[in-house]
Coordinates of all heavy atoms in Angstrom, one line a residue:
V594 N 65.3 51.6 141.0 CA 65.7 50.6 140.0 C 65.3 49.2 140.5 O 65.7 48.3 139.8 CB 67.2 50.7 139.8 CG1 67.6 52.1 139.2 CG2 68.0 50.4 141.0
W618 N 70.8 19.9 132.7 CA 69.7 19.3 132.0 C 69.8 17.8 131.9 O 68.9 17.2 131.2 CB 69.7 19.9 130.5 CG 69.2 21.3 130.4 CD1 69.9 22.4 130.1 CD2 67.8 21.7 130.6 NE1 69.1 23.5 130.1 CE2 67.8 23.1 130.5 CE3 66.6 21.1 131.0 CZ2 66.6 23.9 130.6 CZ3 65.5 21.8 131.1 CH2 65.5 23.2 130.9
T621 N 69.8 12.2 136.5 CA 69.0 12.3 137.7 C 69.2 13.6 138.4 O 68.4 14.0 139.3 CB 69.3 11.1 138.7 OG1 70.6 11.2 139.1 CG2 69.0 9.8 138.0
L638 N 73.6 29.4 140.5 CA 73.5 30.5 139.7 C 73.9 31.8 140.4 O 74.3 32.8 139.8 CB 72.1 30.7 139.1 CG 71.6 29.7 138.1 CD1 70.2 30.0 137.7 CD2 72.5 29.5 136.9
L655 N 73.0 55.1 145.0 CA 73.5 56.4 144.5 C 72.3 57.3 144.1 O 72.6 58.5 143.7 CB 74.3 56.2 143.2 CG 75.7 55.5 143.4 CD1 76.3 55.3 142.0 CD2 76.6 56.3 144.3
E664 N 71.3 66.7 151.5 CA 71.1 67.7 152.5 C 69.6 68.0 152.8 O 69.2 68.2 153.9 CB 71.8 69.0 152.1 CG 73.3 68.9 152.3 CD 74.0 69.1 151.0 OE1 73.4 69.4 150.0 OE2 75.3 68.9 151.1
V730 N 71.4 45.0 149.8 CA 71.4 46.0 150.8 C 72.9 46.4 151.1 O 73.1 47.6 151.4 CB 70.8 45.4 152.1 CG1 70.9 46.3 153.3 CG2 69.3 45.1 151.8
A735 N 77.0 50.7 150.6 CA 78.3 51.1 150.1 C 78.2 52.2 149.0 O 79.0 53.1 149.0 CB 79.0 49.9 149.4
L748 N 82.1 47.4 142.9 CA 81.5 46.5 143.9 C 81.1 45.2 143.2 O 81.3 44.1 143.8 CB 80.3 47.1 144.6 CG 80.6 48.1 145.7 CD1 79.3 48.7 146.2 CD2 81.4 47.5 146.8
M761 N 87.7 28.7 143.7 CA 88.9 28.1 143.0 C 90.1 28.0 143.9 O 90.8 27.0 143.7 CB 89.3 29.1 141.9 CG 88.2 29.1 140.7 SD 88.8 30.0 139.3 CE 89.1 31.6 140.0
P783 N 78.2 32.6 148.0 CA 76.7 32.3 147.8 C 76.6 31.1 146.9 O 75.5 30.4 147.0 CB 76.3 33.5 147.0 CG 77.5 34.1 146.4 CD 78.6 33.9 147.4
L818 N 73.6 52.8 155.2 CA 72.5 53.6 154.6 C 72.1 54.8 155.5 O 71.8 55.9 155.0 CB 71.3 52.8 154.3 CG 71.2 52.0 152.9 CD1 70.0 51.1 152.9 CD2 71.3 53.0 151.8
C863 N 61.7 -1.2 147.9 CA 62.1 -2.5 147.3 C 60.9 -3.2 146.7 O 59.7 -3.1 147.1 CB 62.7 -3.4 148.4 SG 64.2 -2.7 149.1
K871 N 64.3 6.1 147.7 CA 63.0 6.6 147.7 C 62.8 7.8 146.7 O 61.7 7.9 146.2 CB 62.7 7.1 149.1 CG 61.2 7.5 149.4 CD 61.0 7.9 150.8 CE 59.5 8.2 151.1 NZ 59.3 8.5 152.5
A872 N 63.8 8.5 146.5 CA 63.7 9.6 145.5 C 63.4 9.1 144.1 O 62.9 9.9 143.3 CB 65.0 10.5 145.5
T875 N 59.7 5.9 141.5 CA 58.9 5.7 140.3 C 59.6 4.9 139.2 O 59.0 4.4 138.3 CB 58.6 7.1 139.6 OG1 59.8 7.8 139.4 CG2 57.7 7.9 140.6
A894 N 75.0 -18.9 136.5 CA 76.4 -18.9 136.0 C 77.4 -19.0 137.2 O 78.4 -19.7 137.0 CB 76.6 -17.6 135.2
G937 N 64.6 -2.6 129.5 CA 64.2 -4.0 129.2 C 65.3 -5.0 129.2 O 66.1 -5.1 130.2
V970 N 83.1 -9.0 128.1 CA 83.4 -10.4 128.0 C 82.6 -11.2 129.1 O 82.0 -12.2 128.9 CB 84.9 -10.7 128.2 CG1 85.2 -12.2 128.3 CG2 85.6 -10.1 127.0
D978 N 76.5 -14.9 124.6 CA 76.4 -14.0 123.4 C 77.2 -12.8 123.6 O 76.9 -11.9 124.5 CB 74.9 -13.7 123.2 CG 74.7 -12.8 122.0 OD1 75.6 -12.8 121.1 OD2 73.6 -12.1 122.0
L982 N 78.0 -3.5 125.1 CA 77.1 -3.1 126.2 C 76.3 -1.8 125.8 O 76.7 -1.1 124.9 CB 77.8 -2.9 127.5 CG 78.5 -4.1 128.1 CD1 79.3 -3.7 129.3 CD2 77.4 -5.1 128.5
A1023 N 89.5 -9.3 141.3 CA 90.2 -8.1 141.0 C 89.3 -6.9 140.9 O 89.6 -5.8 141.3 CB 91.0 -8.3 139.7
C1027 N 89.3 -3.8 143.5 CA 90.0 -2.7 142.8 C 91.5 -2.9 142.9 O 92.2 -1.9 143.0 CB 89.5 -1.4 143.3 SG 87.8 -1.0 142.8

Side-chain angles (χ1 to χ4, degrees):
V594 300
W618 285 112
T621 60
L638 295 178
L655 291 177
E664 283 121 5
V730 174
L748 282 178
M761 294 187 299
L818 274 175
C863 301
K871 190 175 182 179
T875 55
V970 173
D978 178 23
L982 293 174
C1027 292

